[in-house]
Each structure stands twice: as structure tokens, then as C-alpha cells.
């Protein structure tokens, strides 16, 4: 699998995609226009072993819904990600059986190395 879940309106996602210099066979899915399916989120979870690891606690809705003061389960994280695209930590890069989640320098560098080995 060679796929990236990203947000086309996110400058950070665009910068990372350009920085990684993706091979043309990568599939890009803009999660705002093409919603994440339950199958897709389950596939991501199988590689991370946690929906919480895919969940963005920086999302504006996270603060608006006061989720930090709630005790969320794995099912809650899954439900929120499926309900609204902003809850997915971006970008999510799937490469073979590896997954790279988020935009930290360390994650982006690891993805870049794996893709260009």
C-alpha cells in the first residue's frame, strides 16, 4: 500500500508531501472531500494498534467539545475520526506495512527514509 491521507487545505500537509518527494504510484486521499471509511480507519489502526494514536488532540473541535475533560475509549476515538476529518492526525502515510502518523520532524524523516531506501 502506498497512500497518504491528508488535507489539501493544510499547508503543513502540502509542505510534507513536497518535502518527501513522493513517487508517482502514491495515492493521495484528501480526507475533506473523500471521507475516511471504517475499513480504512481499521486498516490504519491495525498498523498503529490504537485509534488514539491516529487521533488529533490539536483539532479545534477537540477543544470546542471539551473532549480533554472526558474519558475517551478506543471506540470513542474511532467514532470521532469517522464523524469528522479534523480528528485524524495528519498526514497519515501508508507505505507497505508501515504507517507514519503526524507531522513531527522525526515521523516525516522516517517516512522519507523508508520511501526512498
Amino acid at each position: 500500500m502506498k497512500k497518504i491521507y491528508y488535507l489539501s487545505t493544510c499547508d503543513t500537509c502540502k509542505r510534507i508531501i513536497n518535502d518527501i518527494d513522493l513517487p508517482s504510484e502514491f495515492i493521495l486521499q484528501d480526507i475533506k472531500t473523500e471521507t475516511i471509511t471504517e475499513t480504512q480507519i481499521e486498516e490504519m489502526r491495525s498498523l498503529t494498534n490504537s485509534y488514539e494514536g491516529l487521533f488529533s488532540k490539536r483539532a479545534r473541535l477537540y477543544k470546542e467539545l471539551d473532549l480533554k475533560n472526558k474519558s475517551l475509549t478506543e471506540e470513542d476515538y474511532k467514532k470521532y475520526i469517522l464523524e469528522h476529518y479534523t480528528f485524524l492526525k495528519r498526514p497519515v502515510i501508508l507505505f507497505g506495512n508501515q504507517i507514519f502518523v503526524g507531522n513531527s520532524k522525526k515521523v516525516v524523516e522516517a517516512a522519507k527514509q523508508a520511501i526512498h531506501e
Side-chain angles (χ1 to χ4, degrees), residues 1-5 26-27 43 47 94-98:
M1 168 76 60
K2 294 178 181 178
K3 187 164 194 168
I4 295 190
Y5 297 93
F26 264 83
I27 299 165
E43 177 185 29
L47 295 169
L94 298 176
F95 182 69
N97 62 353
Q98 298 176 67

Side-chain angles (χ1 to χ4, degrees), residues 16-110:
I16 289 168
I17 288 168
N18 287 334
D19 186 43
I20 291 178
D21 189 28
L22 294 172
S24 60
E25 65 267 14
F26 264 83
I27 299 165
L28 276 69
Q29 180 173 332
D30 183 352
I31 59 175
K32 187 173 185 176
T33 57
E34 191 181 336
T35 320
I36 299 165
T37 66
E38 189 159 351
T39 304
Q40 289 171 327
I41 192 76
E42 286 170 359
E43 177 185 29
M44 289 182 232
R45 189 213 170 271
S46 73
L47 295 169
T48 61
N49 294 321
S50 152
Y51 290 115
E52 185 177 5
L54 297 166
F55 189 85
S56 173
K57 293 181 179 173
R58 294 169 134 189
R60 194 176 308 148
L61 273 177
Y62 182 74
K63 291 171 183 74
E64 287 175 15
L65 298 173
D66 196 33
L67 296 179
K68 74 172 183 223
N69 293 317
K70 296 184 176 144
S71 189
L72 299 177
T73 65
E74 278 291 289
E75 282 305 308
D76 291 331
Y77 289 118
K78 177 182 178 183
K79 177 182 75 97
Y80 281 117
I81 292 170
L82 288 171
E83 279 178 9
H84 204 279
Y85 66 87
T86 60
F87 286 120
L88 182 68
K89 194 183 286 185
R90 306 174 301 269
V92 174
I93 302 168
L94 298 176
F95 182 69
N97 62 353
Q98 298 176 67
I99 188 167
F100 304 92
V101 181
N103 58 27
S104 75
K105 261 188 170 160
K106 188 176 166 185
V107 168
V108 173
E109 209 41 55

Side-chain angles (χ1 to χ4, degrees), residues 4-20:
I4 295 190
Y5 297 93
Y6 78 111
L7 199 53
S8 63
T9 55
C10 171
D11 290 335
T12 303
C13 286
K14 290 190 272 192
R15 179 184 48 78
I16 289 168
I17 288 168
N18 287 334
D19 186 43
I20 291 178

